[in-house]
Amino acid sequence: MSGEPEGSPAEPATLTIPRGTLLRSRVVSDVGTTLSRALDRELTGYATLVPQETLLLSGEARGVITFDDGVPVLAYNTVTDSGGPDALAELAVPGPYRVELYAVDASGLAAAHEEDALRVAPDAAATELADDADLAELTREAAPEERLRDADDEDDAVAAFLDDDDRIDAIREQARSEARDRAAEWGLDDALDGPSDAK
């Protein structure tokens, strides 16, 4: 999907996959319809998602979601070049969407599916794009055990970080310090001072 050659050094992760066999092309009001169809077909391939407001307003959301046996693996926004959860967040806009569903041989997606920066949890698309808890649960049930372990490990890492008060305090203090430095450069020291005693 990307014009960049595969394996370019020092480049941000981009999604490069072969053009597949078109299975379906239509406008849908709910992305859950497409995700359900991919899951039911145990599709290995990808879907392209273009929110119609993007077409009308020249917005920045043109997405690709890849599937392995019907379970989402990667998400990528071809306009902003962002991937993973960030891409899903950018695509989570009101429908309708222009959707195309493609089948691709598993070997054609193998390299792309190694891009950890573009990966999403198996149930993330159902949750973020379709707001469908039942579909999310069905997707988790269909996902390989290692995919669920990876997603749980990531959740645990985030939870551990949020529970690490010392690290969070250090980050906040660093942010405050940097903000004061910038304010001093711009002559805005007073804006960061505490509230005045004067009423």
Side-chain angles (χ1 to χ4, degrees):
M1 303 298 294
S2 167
E4 296 295 324
E6 293 187 55
S8 297
E11 289 292 327
T14 56
L15 184 60
T16 304
I17 56 179
R19 180 165 293 282
T21 302
L22 179 63
L23 302 176
R24 187 178 182 85
S25 177
R26 63 186 53 204
V27 173
V28 299
S29 59
D30 179 5
V31 176
T33 303
T34 299
L35 299 175
S36 293
R37 185 169 294 272
L39 186 62
D40 291 344
R41 294 180 68 131
E42 299 183 352
L43 175 71
T44 295
Y46 62 94
T48 61
L49 310 175
V50 182
Q52 295 300 281
E53 74 172 31
T54 291
L55 295 177
L56 296 173
L57 304 176
S58 299
E60 296 188 339
R62 293 170 185 262
V64 177
I65 296 175
T66 68
F67 301 91
D68 186 6
D69 289 335
V71 177
V73 179
L74 305 179
Y76 183 67
N77 185 336
T78 64
V79 176
T80 63
D81 206 29
S82 61
D86 289 343
L88 285 183
E90 291 168 357
L91 292 167
V93 297
Y97 294 77
R98 163 63 67 180
V99 175
E100 293 183 346
L101 204 57
Y102 294 86
V104 176
D105 186 78
S107 62
L109 292 174
H113 283 176
E114 293 300 316
E115 290 285 359
D116 289 342
L118 305 180
R119 281 184 168 249
V120 294
D123 57 351
T127 301
E128 295 290 325
L129 302 183
D131 192 23
D132 188 331
D134 291 338
L135 178 58
E137 181 59 30
L138 288 172
T139 306
R140 284 182 63 85
E141 290 173 2
E145 189 63 35
E146 64 269 17
R147 291 284 316 282
L148 296 177
R149 278 199 304 270
D150 290 345
D152 289 342
D153 288 347
E154 188 171 311
D155 289 345
D156 289 345
V158 171
F161 173 78
L162 293 176
D163 285 340
D164 190 337
D165 293 338
D166 290 340
R167 286 182 68 188
I168 291 175
D169 287 344
I171 290 169
R172 285 177 177 157
E173 183 54 43
Q174 180 180 351
R176 279 193 291 265
S177 175
E178 291 174 356
R180 288 188 179 279
D181 290 345
R182 282 194 295 272
E185 291 173 13
W186 299 335
L188 299 173
D189 303 71
D190 292 343
L192 290 178
D193 287 343
S196 171
D197 292 333
K199 302 294 183 185

